[in-house]
Amino acid sequence: MYNAYSKLLITVALGGTMAFSSCGNSDEKKAREYVDLATKLMNDKEYDAALANLDSLDRQYPSEIEVRREGMSLRPQIIELSSLKQIEQCDSAIAGLIIESNRLKESLKFVPDAFEGYYTTKALAGKVPAEKSGLYARMTPDGVYMVIASSTQKSMSTGVTLIAKGGESVSTPDIANDGERNDRSRGVEIITFMPDECDTLGQFAEAHGGIALKIRYNGAKPYEMPLPEEQAYALGEIYRASKVFRQLRLAQLQKSRLEKQLEIARNQRARTFRESAE
């Protein structure tokens, strides 16, 4: 009886061990499939999918340490190749944007002032908003679009509306008279609109080619007037230039970020190689 009972215990124990071993081997095999697929995706230049596959490996099989280590060794190689590909794309975009920005600069003029200076069209360079009513488009060296509205009619204005020949219109938000951004201290009403307050004016003028636009001053004493053609043209042209300048700036920042990412990935690969050699 003792022998029979002992044999039963041994059989159960061996069965459990074999089942556990079988389960473990199965998990390792499935985990390794993630590494194999990530390698294939990397070779196919599907870098985002390859990295996502390694992320899935870490989530699905956290206990498969050895297989995950293989994935950790593979990850910086994928990031390196992905970074190189994206840097190449950035270089191409930057080259095109530089050509376009240089072309646009031919119709612009840089005006130095007490701050960082600004770009405007050659027709408006030297024109002072306080001397003539209308809208004055400007762009900072970094591509930030701004518009200054001026009125000599004392309309107590807080904002403006741009109106096209067909009746379409866009309006700025109201800027309260604070003596700074909405200043009436010199007998002329001057309102300075920030980018998110005047982008719609630039888009509107660009879409309508700066042709036959009117401006309405919104305030206690609203009134309308034809927008001078040179001002209407500048609204759209400066807005177009600001988009290109901003895109160029963002592309340059993106390239800088990718170059740092590439350096980190290469350092990780070198460190992984040294550790495996030891």
Side-chain angles (χ1 to χ4, degrees), residues 76 79-80 83-84 87 255-271:
I79 293 174
E80 178 182 355
S83 299
L84 287 170
I87 288 172
K255 181 181 177 181
S256 178
R257 183 190 68 79
L258 288 168
E259 287 174 337
K260 291 179 181 177
Q261 178 176 281
L262 176 62
E263 181 182 2
I264 292 171
R266 284 176 169 170
N267 288 338
Q268 287 177 336
R269 285 195 69 190
R271 185 167 59 251

Side-chain angles (χ1 to χ4, degrees), residues 215-271:
I215 177 175
R216 180 171 66 236
Y217 294 88
N218 304 318
K221 301 176 182 179
Y223 79 97
E224 291 183 9
M225 60 169 267
L227 188 65
E229 186 175 331
E230 62 184 13
Q231 294 182 7
Y233 171 77
L235 280 177
E237 186 68 5
I238 298 298
Y239 179 73
R240 185 181 300 111
S242 75
K243 289 191 295 183
V244 173
F245 275 56
R246 288 199 307 269
Q247 289 169 359
L248 176 57
R249 177 64 175 160
L250 289 174
Q252 290 169 333
L253 290 173
Q254 173 72 347
K255 181 181 177 181
S256 178
R257 183 190 68 79
L258 288 168
E259 287 174 337
K260 291 179 181 177
Q261 178 176 281
L262 176 62
E263 181 182 2
I264 292 171
R266 284 176 169 170
N267 288 338
Q268 287 177 336
R269 285 195 69 190
R271 185 167 59 251

Side-chain angles (χ1 to χ4, degrees), residues 62-246:
S63 62
E64 294 299 325
I65 305 300
E66 290 302 320
V67 180
R68 289 179 61 204
R69 281 178 178 168
E70 293 180 26
M72 290 172 63
S73 298
L74 184 62
R75 186 181 293 273
Q77 184 179 356
I78 298 172
I79 293 174
E80 178 182 355
L81 293 172
S82 176
S83 299
L84 287 170
K85 178 182 177 181
Q86 292 180 76
I87 288 172
E88 182 180 354
Q89 293 170 341
C90 275
D91 284 338
S92 178
I94 288 170
L97 288 167
I98 287 175
I99 292 173
E100 180 63 9
S101 64
N102 288 338
R103 185 191 68 79
L104 288 167
K105 279 182 180 179
E106 293 178 0
S107 64
L108 306 180
K109 184 174 179 60
F110 182 75
V111 180
D113 61 14
F115 300 99
E116 58 182 347
Y118 61 89
Y119 286 96
T120 189
T121 57
K122 292 178 179 178
L124 289 186
K127 300 293 179 66
V128 181
E131 295 177 354
K132 184 177 181 180
S133 297
L135 296 175
Y136 294 79
R138 295 178 176 181
M139 179 183 70
T140 69
D142 288 336
V144 177
Y145 183 72
M146 300 174 65
V147 173
I148 296 175
S150 68
S151 172
T152 60
Q153 299 298 313
K154 298 184 179 180
S155 64
M156 308 295 285
S157 59
T158 54
V160 298
T161 297
L162 202 56
I163 307 167
K165 187 175 182 180
E168 308 95 334
S169 66
V170 291
S171 299
T172 66
D174 289 331
I175 307 299
N177 174 225
D178 59 1
E180 295 181 0
R181 289 186 55 205
N182 186 334
D183 181 22
R184 302 169 186 166
S185 63
R186 293 171 291 178
V188 179
E189 298 174 359
I190 303 288
I191 304 176
T192 302
F193 295 105
M194 296 294 104
D196 59 343
E197 298 165 345
C198 62
D199 275 357
T200 52
L201 299 181
Q203 293 171 7
F204 192 81
E206 182 185 22
H208 288 82
I211 299 174
L213 298 179
K214 290 183 179 181
I215 177 175
R216 180 171 66 236
Y217 294 88
N218 304 318
K221 301 176 182 179
Y223 79 97
E224 291 183 9
M225 60 169 267
L227 188 65
E229 186 175 331
E230 62 184 13
Q231 294 182 7
Y233 171 77
L235 280 177
E237 186 68 5
I238 298 298
Y239 179 73
R240 185 181 300 111
S242 75
K243 289 191 295 183
V244 173
F245 275 56
R246 288 199 307 269

